Amino acid sequence: MQHQDADIVIVGGGGAGLRAAIAAAEHARKEGIEQRILMLSKVYPMRSHTVAAEGGAAAVTSEEDTLEAHFEDTVAGSDWLAEQGVVDYFIRHAHRELVQLERWGCPWSRKPDGSIQVRRFGGMKTARTWFAADKTGFHILHTLFQTSLKYPEIERLDEYFVLDVATVGGEVAGVIALQVATGELIALRAKSVIIATGGAGRLFQFNTNAGIVTGDGMAMAFRHGVALRDMEFVQYHPTGLPGTGILITEACRGEGGLLLNKDGYRYLQDYGLGPETPLGEPKNKYMELGPRDKLSQAFWQEQKAGRTGKFADSDVVYLDLRHLGKAYLHERLPFICELAQAYINVDPVTEPIPIRPAVHYTMGGIETDAQCETSLKGLYAAGECASVGLHGANRLGSNSLSELLVFGRLAGEQASQRATATAYADIESLQQQVQDQEKQVARLREANGSETWVGLKREMVQAMEDGCGIYRDEQGMQRALDTIRELKSRYQDIKLSDRSRIYNTELLQCIELGFGLDIAEATCLAALGRRESRGAHQRLDEGLQERDDINFLQHSLVFFNVDAPAQLRWQDVDTRFSAPAVRAYGDAGKGA
Amino acid sequence: MTTKRLSIQRYLPEQSKTPFWQEFEVPFDDSTSILEALNHIKEDMDGSLSYRWSCRMAICGSCGVMVNGEPKLGCKSFLREYPGTISIEPLAHFPVQKDLIIDMEIFLEHLAAVQPYLINDSQDSNQTHKQTPAQLAKYLTFSDCINCGLCYSACPQFGLNPEFLGPAALTLAHRYNLDSRDQGKAQRMVQLNREEGVWTCTFVGYCSEVCPKSVDPAAAVNQGKVESAKDLLINLFKR
């Protein structure tokens, strides 16, 4: 068994992981100490799903905007389930992070005078979203990756698949990883470990997410007793391409795009988002610039009412950008034009884009405190895999790119700080865990049961889509939970067809499925337990269709048990600045 | 459902040191991409087929393969575009590790070699630089590279000499050299002026043809040659 030591191990090389790595390096330099920072990714960092974020990153920027306004928008957007102290920290640090990226070379779009251009986004009172055309995530990721090359103390192990977190005496001691190219296991001893592995959108059949977004890090922390928080809140992005689910950015609507049903009617005015705003005059928090949960719910209602159109097998509504004109579309939304043309053969300059909601973002995740540390000492989490408490029941578009910078940095600094005052765990005490992992991997590679990962995965994503969709009911969620539990037991009887060691991608997909099933169970449990409707969790059950602050102004926490079903508990929400109020948009939300 | 035949070059180093070809008959419609066909094969026909993929929307750069001998992104090439049997091979000019998976390490080394980050003497400011849309437009296209490596498979010079920095790395160097916020050009020119820098390029231009993001590396490399010529000349006078 090989082993290596690093002061800080970072699992995941996306935006949060890279930002954390640079922050840790800067922190160590400032303290005048040498630290080795090791970043592991199951892919090359620039393949990470941050790359696919399109629209932008939010921060209070213009003179007319205020920190209070960004705070209010985020808290109302969360349906009052955000941790308000965390939101306060976030809105105060977002701008600094976007400036930092500019200093590192991010090609932000500009005004004619050379200053930063901002655009409108849903659920935000005013334009405060920085963007790099419609490839913001791509440019952020590549800027961070390229900047990280400046720091020799940041070392990478690309295409290393982390299997487990190692612990000794109730504290983190490192990670155990599989080198994908060889199939060899390696133990990495660390004083601090940061999980930055992204969300779990691939639990669902129809999603905007990359194939790698399988929730690995969430499951690892969960299996070590760290709670998964608010997992019932799964964001459906209102505009994905039919067939593939490829993301069509909210920036389309920020720039003035319209949503039409099959009759060419702007149906959002019937769902508390009106009155209709004039063509070419998008208005913040009205109509197409409502929040994502409300827009996806409106699609579902239109579909029920038979007012959606058809594109191949999909029910769709239409995103109309034609009035923006070719020159403007090619400047502001070039990637959208490319995607629509390549994947559904539609030119947005001349035709509306057929779209439908698709699972996009995991609002919940690994519970951390406001400093990104989990209940397992020395284990940190940041970005989409984490629940630091920013998004509550519904995330506002463009808050997550800023989040991974603000909290990626904080996690990196905290991890570096801890590493200055901690010793490595005794290597002998890691051996048992390493051997257990080796046995498990060997067993899985040779597994010769009667189930395939493909079969089980297909049933999982179908069950989640059916049971934990845009609207939910008791029966459907229970059915999903039962199915997931059945799949978990059938997973024990799996069979692999590839027994090789070198690049055994089937083995990895199998392990990912195992992670996914644990998270899916947590999601169903939390969804069933939340007997109210809030944000992205909307129930059809009689008497549970409204928000219930008396009983459910609470975070859900799900805890893993080795030999028993996972367990649901509740946790108070930090509402120190803003008491829960009516969440309204359009004219109904005037002044809010 | 209509089907199409894919002929895939397999390489399973634990079984044999020799690559072999294997054919698969896959269902397809107008929207089926090469990547979706590979996923269909892996999920329903042969779980041992190995290849890289992730975003399936032409932005992560993982799924480059040779399709009928041309470097392509699997996710952005469609079965409907090819009559007859379609041949799929790993990207040319890179060592193959298994099936369609190539060794990317040399590519990453070349990227890192050109110091692809802003170099300037104002690190500690907490203000943004001014950069007008015209200044941004100077380098923006060259910043769109997704590191897929297709241009390296297209480049005959990289095929002959893998030490050649190659189209993507030279483009990235040029992108930073053109950035109004950067002062690191002198440092980067050392790499560009080397024999394995811009001068290895013989201006075939195939790199720009195959680029799935229209980055135009050939233009970047040749603008780099002009810069390198100037730089060499200036150094000559300084001597």
Side-chain angles (χ1 to χ4, degrees):
Chain A
M1 163 64 55
Q2 310 177 53
H3 104 265
Q4 284 189 32
D5 291 340
D7 296 272
I8 300 148
V9 158
I10 299 171
V11 186
L18 284 163
R19 185 66 189 88
I22 297 171
E26 293 278 0
H27 180 267
R29 284 182 185 191
K30 212 168 67 194
E31 299 288 310
I33 45 172
E34 275 185 32
Q35 287 184 334
R36 182 177 187 222
I37 300 153
L38 195 57
M39 169 181 288
L40 289 83
S41 168
K42 64 178 176 179
V43 291
Y44 285 95
M46 61 278 193
R47 316 300 185 210
S48 308
H49 190 55
T50 304
V51 82
E54 293 169 351
V60 172
T61 302
S62 74
E63 302 241 328
E64 309 83 67
D65 200 2
T66 62
L67 293 173
E68 291 71 29
H70 193 187
F71 175 89
E72 288 162 11
D73 289 345
T74 302
V75 169
S78 81
D79 225 345
W80 274 271
L81 210 64
E83 287 290 281
Q84 295 186 3
V86 168
V87 178
D88 185 61
Y89 181 87
F90 167 73
I91 50 118
R92 289 175 195 282
H93 291 80
H95 185 264
R96 171 204 294 190
E97 283 299 318
L98 301 185
V99 170
Q100 177 63 73
L101 267 184
E102 197 282 337
R103 304 294 308 177
W104 285 334
C106 187
W108 295 115
S109 294
R110 305 281 179 156
K111 291 181 188 166
D113 72 353
S115 61
I116 297 295
Q117 178 76 272
V118 289
R119 68 168 32 135
R120 293 186 173 87
F121 245 69
M124 303 277 192
K125 278 189 188 67
T126 186
R128 60 168 74 102
T129 298
W130 295 37
F131 60 99
D134 55 355
K135 294 188 214 174
T136 311
F138 165 82
H139 284 300
I140 288 179
L141 184 68
H142 281 251
T143 300
L144 287 171
F145 174 66
Q146 289 160 13
T147 301
S148 78
L149 299 173
K150 277 200 303 197
Y151 298 84
E153 60 271 51
I154 301 175
E155 294 175 55
R156 298 197 324 269
L157 294 175
D158 297 335
E159 297 197 319
Y160 275 66
F161 187 105
V162 176
L163 298 163
D164 198 8
V165 171
T167 62
V168 173
E171 298 196 8
V172 84
V175 301
I176 301 157
L178 181 148
Q179 182 179 14
V180 180
T182 62
E184 304 272 321
L185 261 59
I186 179 169
L188 298 157
R189 204 157 59 140
K191 298 169 182 170
S192 306
V193 172
I194 302 172
I195 297 185
T197 51
R202 284 269 159 175
L203 294 182
F204 289 76
Q205 185 172 41
F206 195 75
N207 65 74
T208 66
N209 286 189
I212 54 174
V213 188
T214 48
D216 309 358
M218 289 181 186
M220 278 179 240
F222 185 47
R223 289 172 182 181
H224 280 280
V226 179
L228 294 181
R229 181 164 68 184
D230 293 340
M231 289 302 289
E232 64 275 36
F233 300 106
V234 175
Q235 179 161 79
Y236 276 77
H237 195 291
T239 61
L241 286 185
T244 55
I246 286 171
L247 175 67
I248 297 299
T249 174
E250 183 166 318
C252 294
R253 287 172 280 123
E255 299 290 353
L258 309 179
L259 283 178
L260 310 172
N261 67 14
K262 73 168 181 185
D263 306 316
Y265 173 70
R266 289 173 69 192
Y267 58 91
L268 293 175
Q269 60 192 289
D270 298 343
Y271 299 95
L273 293 158
E276 190 172 341
T277 49
L279 183 72
E281 293 174 39
K283 193 170 171 190
N284 290 86
K285 298 179 77 166
Y286 279 74
M287 294 295 287
E288 286 82 1
L289 289 176
R292 291 175 178 176
D293 55 341
K294 302 268 182 207
L295 265 62
S296 291
Q297 288 151 21
F299 170 89
W300 188 94
Q301 302 284 358
E302 288 292 293
Q303 186 182 31
K304 279 273 165 229
R307 291 192 291 265
T308 47
K310 271 280 179 204
F311 185 90
D313 301 333
S314 298
D315 291 333
V316 295
V317 288
Y318 300 91
L319 174 62
D320 194 348
L321 303 173
R322 290 174 298 179
H323 56 284
L324 297 175
K326 186 174 175 176
Y328 192 77
L329 283 175
H330 285 192
E331 181 214 327
R332 292 292 174 97
L333 301 165
F335 191 37
I336 292 309
C337 294
E338 177 189 330
L339 291 170
Q341 192 74 64
Y343 293 100
I344 54 167
N345 197 25
V346 164
D347 179 0
V349 175
T350 57
E351 278 177 90
I353 312 172
I355 51 93
R356 57 157 285 189
V359 165
H360 181 59
Y361 190 87
T362 315
M363 256 85 69
I366 302 165
E367 187 209 1
T368 73
D369 62 19
Q371 276 74 47
C372 304
E373 193 172 15
T374 71
S375 57
L376 179 62
K377 276 273 160 240
L379 183 69
Y380 301 81
E384 191 175 344
C385 68
S387 168
V388 69
L390 181 61
H391 307 305
N394 174 67
R395 174 175 74 84
L396 294 187
S398 75
N399 265 355
S400 63
L401 285 179
S402 303
E403 176 195 19
L404 60 80
L405 297 167
V406 169
F407 294 103
R409 181 204 36 88
L410 184 58
E413 289 174 359
Q414 294 290 317
S416 170
Q417 183 60 40
R418 176 186 155 86
T420 60
T422 313
Y424 287 113
D426 177 23
I427 189 73
E428 301 303 318
S429 50
L430 264 80
Q431 291 300 347
Q432 188 57 46
Q433 292 166 71
V434 174
Q435 283 164 12
D436 288 349
Q437 279 298 325
E438 273 193 323
K439 272 188 219 147
Q440 279 184 43
V441 169
R443 201 185 310 135
L444 192 55
R445 192 186 281 118
E446 300 300 325
N448 202 15
S450 53
E451 301 283 352
T452 65
W453 73 270
V454 176
L456 299 182
K457 179 202 71 171
R458 286 180 184 160
E459 288 188 47
M460 174 182 79
V461 297
Q462 184 71 55
M464 293 305 285
E465 196 81 44
D466 291 347
C468 295
I470 297 172
Y471 282 91
R472 304 155 172 195
D473 62 25
E474 183 82 13
Q475 257 189 335
M477 289 184 285
Q478 187 62 51
R479 206 161 35 231
L481 178 62
D482 295 344
T483 305
I484 298 299
R485 285 183 171 156
E486 182 206 319
L487 294 173
K488 281 182 70 166
S489 88
R490 285 165 57 196
Y491 182 79
Q492 303 306 317
D493 184 38
I494 212 157
K495 176 195 176 82
L496 254 70
S497 60
D498 188 351
R499 310 222 182 278
S500 68
R501 290 176 175 273
I502 297 176
Y503 280 100
N504 188 335
T505 51
E506 190 188 37
L507 174 74
L508 301 185
Q509 281 166 315
C510 220
I511 297 170
E512 288 170 346
L513 174 67
F515 287 148
L517 287 168
D518 282 354
I519 307 168
E521 183 184 12
T523 304
C524 294
L525 256 184
L528 271 166
R530 184 171 293 282
R531 299 181 59 78
E532 63 155 355
S533 292
R534 184 187 297 265
H537 177 72
Q538 293 294 312
R539 296 185 67 135
L540 296 166
D541 306 292
E542 207 58 51
L544 306 181
Q545 296 173 2
E546 301 294 328
R547 197 174 85 190
D548 174 3
D549 288 333
I550 294 170
N551 295 302
F552 289 101
L553 188 61
Q554 300 267 311
H555 296 294
S556 68
L557 295 178
V558 182
F559 291 89
F560 181 79
N561 284 312
V562 180
D563 294 315
Q567 203 185 349
L568 176 65
R569 288 182 221 160
W570 299 93
Q571 179 189 49
D572 287 342
V573 180
D574 168 11
T575 55
R576 71 179 87 166
F577 300 114
S578 160
V582 175
R583 181 173 175 235
Y585 294 90
D587 263 357
K590 244 183 187 167
Chain B
M1 193 179 238
T2 343
T3 63
K4 197 174 264 296
R5 183 163 298 178
L6 260 61
S7 183
I8 301 179
Q9 185 185 307
R10 304 289 310 267
Y11 172 58
L12 302 170
E14 288 158 271
Q15 291 177 20
S16 160
K17 292 292 161 201
T18 325
F20 62 99
W21 289 86
Q22 191 175 358
E23 296 199 337
F24 298 93
E25 197 79 26
V26 297
F28 82 107
D29 63 25
D30 250 15
S31 69
T32 310
S33 66
I34 298 282
L35 173 63
E36 286 168 329
L38 294 175
N39 283 340
H40 174 82
I41 293 168
K42 185 165 187 71
E43 295 200 352
D44 291 313
M45 302 169 90
D46 186 341
S48 72
L49 181 69
S50 300
Y51 49 96
R52 292 191 179 103
W53 74 283
S54 183
C55 77
R56 52 82 171 99
M57 54 190 279
I59 194 75
C60 81
S62 302
C63 66
V65 289
M66 306 299 282
V67 181
N68 283 354
E70 279 181 55
K72 291 278 185 188
L73 286 184
C75 70
K76 213 186 171 190
S77 313
F78 300 88
L79 271 61
R80 62 167 191 268
E81 296 166 356
Y82 301 92
T85 301
I86 306 173
S87 82
I88 314 282
E89 296 161 272
L91 282 181
H93 303 155
F94 290 98
V96 182
Q97 291 181 307
K98 182 185 184 182
D99 289 345
L100 302 173
I101 296 174
I102 50 142
D103 186 343
M104 289 288 291
E105 287 306 315
I106 186 88
F107 177 90
L108 281 147
E109 281 169 26
H110 289 340
L111 281 190
V114 300
Q115 298 173 273
Y117 33 79
L118 279 191
I119 298 171
N120 56 42
D121 52 17
S122 55
Q123 297 292 329
D124 293 329
S125 168
N126 53 11
Q127 300 287 315
T128 56
H129 301 85
K130 290 268 179 187
Q131 186 167 63
T132 64
Q135 288 172 321
L136 176 67
K138 273 196 162 174
Y139 71 86
L140 189 61
T141 308
F142 298 136
S143 74
D144 277 341
C145 169
I146 61 173
N147 299 349
C148 63
L150 301 198
C151 52
Y152 285 68
S153 287
C155 175
Q157 294 303 318
F158 179 72
L160 293 170
N161 177 15
E163 294 303 309
F164 174 38
L165 287 175
L170 291 169
T171 302
L172 196 55
H174 196 54
R175 168 253 180 276
Y176 280 100
N177 285 345
L178 289 175
D179 194 318
S180 57
R181 300 167 290 184
D182 183 75
Q183 295 153 5
K185 189 169 158 190
Q187 292 179 44
R188 279 182 216 104
M189 289 318 289
V190 177
Q191 287 291 329
L192 268 63
N193 293 344
R194 281 169 49 213
E195 199 177 326
E196 289 82 16
V198 289
W199 299 104
T200 293
C201 168
T202 53
F203 203 25
V204 173
Y206 190 33
C207 52
S208 290
E209 261 180 64
V210 303
C211 177
K213 306 307 281 184
S214 308
V215 171
D216 202 358
V221 175
N222 282 279
Q223 289 169 27
K225 282 184 190 169
V226 175
E227 294 304 318
S228 180
K230 279 197 257 177
D231 202 52
L232 293 169
L233 207 61
I234 291 165
N235 285 336
L236 206 64
F237 283 121
K238 275 189 190 159
R239 240 191 260 173

